[in-house]
Amino acid sequence: MNELPSKNFLYLTGMRILLVEDEAAIAGFVKEGLEEEGFAVDVAGNGRQGLDMAMNNLDEYDIFLLDWMLPGLSGIEICRSIRKENNQVPIIFLTAKDTVDDTVFGLESGANDYLKKPFAFEELLARIRVLLRNKTGEQNIFTAGDILMDTEVHQVTNNGQPVELTQKEFALLEYLLRNKGKVCRRTRIIEKIWDIHFEKDTSVIDVFINALRKKLDSKEKESFIQTIRGVGYRVNDEQ
Ligand code: CA
């Protein structure tokens, strides 16, 4: 297996993507690749389903990947519907249409970028990162007490000591740190870190919260993750 060095990549986890693609092979490989990068990915296999999923969860998605030619509704129509709702979430078209006129038409419909099939997964990933980095204002360092997360090099340290986290642990911690001082609701955490097919059994969060506490809490102090009973969790600076 050819292992790509991932250290220098910008990781943006706690991000949810809707992929609308009718070619199962492409949908499968894009979803799998993005999930390995820590994104939560929902897939719609036709235009109508894609539009429904987009419209029903408009505020949940951080980026839309739309195939152009779809059964039912085209990607262009989905894109227009999203923009009509005054939603400026980044949209990338994935399509075999590649003439200049088509590109202009695609971008004029409100998309941010355009990727010609067949494409390399790394190129898609690079474009997603650029769009999301613009969206998140390039902040890549998050802290709470002695804990420091650098999303650009995908590293967490506690008191200067590196801490090994799984992909999901990292995504959960990033979400909590991005929202430092605020209460993160359990339902919201599930929506952001796990995908739409995940059973709405939020008890899985406890497992990951416990893992983070075990790895990052110091014995003398209270946990850096505060439990808000029946609601969720909050990370504060004072530990
Ligand atoms: Ca298609």
Side-chain angles (χ1 to χ4, degrees):
M1 285 292 281
N2 185 16
E3 294 246 331
L4 285 168
S6 54
K7 206 165 176 281
N8 297 320
F9 292 163
L10 174 67
Y11 279 81
L12 287 153
T13 46
M15 295 281 179
R16 191 162 157 196
I17 295 177
L18 177 63
L19 167 64
V20 187
E21 170 62 77
D22 61 313
E23 284 169 71
I26 296 177
F29 116 90
V30 171
K31 179 178 165 71
E32 196 183 322
L34 290 173
E35 284 179 345
E36 277 172 18
E37 296 296 322
F39 294 98
V41 183
D42 300 327
V43 178
N46 64 62
R48 178 57 61 188
Q49 189 195 10
L51 182 68
D52 286 348
M53 285 170 76
M55 288 304 155
N56 291 336
N57 305 281
L58 210 46
D59 296 331
E60 304 303 331
Y61 291 114
D62 298 290
I63 197 159
F64 294 101
L65 304 179
L66 307 177
D67 181 25
W68 184 312
M69 305 285 281
L70 289 161
L73 281 172
S74 73
I76 292 277
E77 289 168 283
I78 298 173
C79 177
R80 288 205 175 118
S81 301
I82 292 169
R83 293 300 185 237
K84 225 181 258 172
E85 295 297 312
N86 239 336
N87 182 296
Q88 295 309 317
V89 168
I91 295 175
I92 300 178
F93 276 122
L94 310 175
T95 173
K97 280 183 167 281
D98 61 355
T99 68
V100 173
D101 280 355
D102 284 338
T103 311
V104 171
F105 183 62
L107 296 176
E108 278 181 351
S109 73
N112 301 76
D113 206 348
Y114 185 99
L115 203 53
K116 211 165 78 179
K117 290 178 188 172
F119 54 84
F121 178 75
E122 288 303 325
E123 186 176 0
L124 172 64
L125 194 57
R127 291 177 186 227
I128 288 174
R129 287 192 176 118
V130 167
L131 290 172
L132 290 181
R133 189 162 42 192
N134 293 341
K135 188 180 171 229
T136 55
E138 303 217 24
Q139 187 182 354
N140 64 296
I141 304 282
F142 301 92
T143 60
D146 295 330
I147 298 161
L148 186 147
M149 167 178 277
D150 184 339
T151 57
E152 191 137 8
V153 293
H154 198 69
Q155 194 181 56
V156 175
T157 57
N158 192 5
N159 233 330
Q161 297 299 311
V163 181
E164 288 286 321
L165 298 181
T166 66
Q167 196 66 260
K168 278 276 185 268
E169 288 166 4
F170 191 96
L172 176 57
L173 180 62
E174 182 177 345
Y175 184 71
L176 293 170
L177 293 178
R178 278 183 188 277
N179 293 285
K180 188 168 75 175
K182 297 183 206 157
V183 176
C184 298
R185 294 181 174 274
R186 297 168 64 87
T187 47
R188 185 86 182 144
I189 292 172
I190 285 284
E191 285 165 358
K192 278 293 181 187
I193 316 287
W194 282 269
D195 70 33
I196 205 168
H197 298 298
F198 195 81
E199 289 291 315
K200 293 286 180 196
D201 173 13
T202 57
S203 62
V204 66
I205 299 173
D206 301 322
V207 176
F208 286 86
I209 291 285
N210 285 339
L212 287 177
R213 283 175 169 158
K214 214 167 165 184
K215 291 182 179 180
L216 293 163
D217 277 348
S218 51
K219 291 200 171 58
E220 310 83 63
K221 303 175 195 165
E222 278 188 33
S223 177
F224 79 108
I225 304 171
Q226 191 187 351
T227 302
I228 314 294
R229 271 188 72 121
V231 182
Y233 301 94
R234 178 168 57 204
V235 165
N236 289 314
D237 252 332
E238 61 269 22
Q239 285 183 68

